Amino acid sequence: MEEISMTEKKYSLSLFEQIELHEELPPQEYIWRSITPGSLGFIYGPSKSGKTTFCENLGMSIAYGSKDYFGGKIENEEPCRVLFISMEEYWRQRTERNKKQISKFDVPEELHDNYVVVNEDFPRIFIGSDELKSRLHEIIDEVEPKVVFIDSMTRMATKDIEDSTVSGEIGVALRELANENEVAIVVIHHTHKMNGKAITIDCLAGSRVLAQEADYMIGINRTESGIRYYKEVTTRYAQEKEDVIVFDIDENQWLRPINEIPEDTALKINKKDGRQNPDKFEPILSVLKEAYTTNTTLTKQELVDKLDGKLGSSSTYDYLNELEDDGKITNKRGIISLNP
C-alpha cells in the first residue's frame, strides 16, 4: 500500500505534531475559574436565586480590575471589556441595581467603557438560531468584548427551549460564536422550582444537548428556607469543588460568601436560627435501616403501621414516593427496602 505523505493529509495529524503545535502557542489563558477565552458555560438555577446578580458582580469585577471574585482569582493581566446582554429585565430597574453595585469601585475614566450593556433597540427574543447568531455577531463586533453574559437562554427562541432540537441548535450557534470570536460566553438559564432538591445537570432545561456544548455548568440555588448557595456542577477541564458556597446578598447587591459546606447540609439549614432542619425522611429511613440490619422485609402497609404516631399515612406515602424518585429506596412487588 502506498504511503500517504503528510502534505496529502486533509483532516488529520499525528499526536506528536499536535503536541508540537500546542507547545508553540502561549499557555492557556484563564479569566476566572473555568471561564477562558472561547469557552461556553451556563449559570443556572431557580427564579430569585441570585443568578443575574452573581453574573453582574463577576462581570464588573473582570471589567474594573478586581483581583478576585467569590474566592476565585481573576487571572486577566489587566481589566478587559465585558458585554452584558439583558433581554428579560426593564432597563431602569436593572440600572438602579447596577448603580448600587458599581459604587463598590472607584472606576478610572479609562475604564468607563469596560462594562457595556445593550440598549432598548436590541432584540428581546429571536426567531431562530440564524437570527440569534447574526445579531450576536453584530453586537460582539460592535463592542469587541472578552466576556459576554446573556440573560437568558429562554429568550433565545420563540419555541420550547426544552425541545432538544431547539436547545441543540442554540447550543451549537453559541459554541460557534465563542470559538470564532475567541470570546467567553456565559449564559444565564432557568430551572423549575427545586422544591428542596440538590441542583444537578438534569435540572437544566435542555440539559442533555446543552451539556455537550458546555465547558462548565454552575448552579445557583435557593433552598425552601431561603438559603442561597453556589455549586460547581461540572467543568470540562478542572476538578469541581466538592462543597457548595453558601452566600447572602448585601445592601449594594453584592454576593457575600458565608461558608463552604456539603450540599446536603445547605439544603437542611433553617434560615431563622442557622441550624439544620430535621430530616423529614428520618423516621422512615430509621425503620428501614433497622429492617436492613436485621434482614427483615416490610410491606408499605407494615411500614405505615410502624410509623403510626410519628407520621400520618398520607405523609408516609408521599415521602416514600420522593425517596424512591431519589433512588434511596426500592419498592419491588410491594416490598420496601433501603438502597445501601
Side-chain angles (χ1 to χ4, degrees):
M1 181 180 295
E2 183 179 348
E3 185 176 350
I4 300 175
S5 69
M6 295 303 295
T7 56
E8 292 175 328
K9 290 186 176 181
K10 187 176 181 180
Y11 298 117
S12 63
L13 71 168
S14 74
L15 176 59
F16 289 95
E17 289 173 307
Q18 183 168 275
I19 292 172
E20 183 178 349
L21 178 62
H22 170 74
E23 291 180 345
E24 290 174 356
L25 297 174
Q28 172 66 61
E29 182 182 357
Y30 284 85
I31 299 171
W32 182 81
R33 293 199 172 167
S34 296
I35 301 177
T36 64
S39 65
L40 170 64
F42 296 91
I43 311 288
Y44 67 108
S47 177
K48 309 300 182 184
S49 56
K51 304 182 296 295
T52 298
T53 303
F54 173 89
C55 290
E56 289 170 335
N57 290 178
L58 175 56
M60 291 181 187
S61 298
I62 294 169
Y64 299 141
S66 294
K67 300 299 182 185
D68 57 63
Y69 173 67
F70 215 70
K73 182 181 178 183
I74 294 177
E75 304 197 45
N76 294 325
E77 293 184 2
E78 56 186 35
C80 64
R81 187 164 292 177
V82 171
L83 170 62
F84 201 102
I85 300 175
S86 177
M87 296 184 287
E88 293 208 344
E89 193 173 2
Y90 180 53
W91 73 274
R92 295 202 66 181
Q93 295 171 334
R94 184 182 72 247
T95 303
E96 283 294 324
R97 182 176 64 251
N98 292 166
K99 183 179 177 181
K100 292 179 181 178
Q101 293 166 333
I102 202 174
S103 66
K104 176 179 178 178
F105 302 94
D106 182 15
V107 184
E109 187 173 351
E110 63 267 22
L111 297 185
H112 280 194
D113 292 336
N114 262 25
Y115 188 90
V116 182
V117 297
V118 295
N119 62 28
E120 290 302 287
D121 292 328
F122 192 80
R124 292 297 182 266
I125 198 162
F126 297 96
I127 296 174
S129 58
D130 289 341
E131 184 195 2
L132 169 70
K133 191 173 179 182
S134 174
R135 293 288 188 154
L136 291 179
H137 251 310
E138 190 176 359
I139 190 68
I140 288 171
D141 288 344
E142 178 180 317
V143 177
E144 297 182 346
K146 192 169 186 177
V147 185
V148 177
F149 292 89
I150 304 177
D151 189 7
S152 68
M153 181 76 180
T154 54
R155 291 282 181 161
M156 295 190 207
T158 55
K159 299 180 181 179
D160 185 3
I161 201 69
E162 296 196 37
D163 185 307
S164 60
T165 301
V166 175
S167 56
E169 289 177 354
I170 293 174
V172 169
L174 293 172
R175 165 58 67 195
E176 291 175 351
L177 276 167
N179 291 343
E180 291 167 6
N181 295 278
E182 270 299 291
V183 62
I185 296 180
V186 184
V187 181
I188 299 173
H189 199 7
H190 302 300
T191 67
H192 300 298
K193 190 175 180 182
M194 300 299 296
N195 295 318
K197 292 185 178 180
I199 191 163
T200 66
I201 292 177
D202 294 335
C203 299
L204 185 72
S207 60
R208 181 178 59 82
V209 292
L210 292 178
Q212 294 172 358
E213 302 296 338
D215 294 306
Y216 56 88
M217 299 172 71
I218 293 171
I220 304 290
N221 200 4
R222 185 173 184 174
T223 70
E224 291 181 310
S225 63
I227 299 296
R228 293 182 169 98
Y229 66 82
Y230 161 104
K231 178 182 180 181
E232 292 181 356
V233 179
T234 183
T235 63
R236 194 186 297 274
Y237 304 116
Q239 179 66 44
E240 300 91 4
K241 295 174 67 68
E242 290 187 5
D243 290 340
V244 302
I245 302 176
V246 175
F247 67 88
D248 61 13
I249 301 175
D250 68 18
E251 66 278 4
N252 288 323
Q253 294 297 296
W254 276 86
L255 271 65
R256 182 170 54 190
I258 298 173
N259 57 2
E260 297 187 25
I261 57 176
E263 186 173 20
D264 284 348
T265 303
L267 292 169
K268 297 173 185 176
I269 293 176
N270 185 316
K271 194 171 185 179
K272 290 182 179 179
D273 56 17
R275 295 181 298 181
Q276 287 192 36
N277 292 324
D279 189 341
K280 64 183 181 182
F281 301 125
E282 183 54 36
I284 294 174
L285 294 175
S286 179
V287 172
L288 290 176
K289 287 175 184 175
E290 181 181 354
Y292 177 78
T293 55
T294 57
N295 199 28
T296 57
T297 60
L298 291 171
T299 66
K300 185 179 291 187
Q301 187 57 54
E302 288 171 337
L303 186 58
V304 169
D305 293 342
K306 279 184 171 290
L307 292 167
D308 185 35
K310 295 181 181 179
L311 286 176
S313 58
S314 61
S315 294
T316 302
Y317 291 140
D318 289 342
Y319 292 169
L320 285 172
N321 289 334
E322 289 186 52
L323 286 167
E324 189 173 2
D325 289 343
D326 289 342
K328 294 181 179 178
I329 66 170
T330 298
N331 182 354
K332 189 173 183 180
R333 296 180 180 178
I335 302 297
I336 308 299
S337 59
L338 186 70
N339 290 334

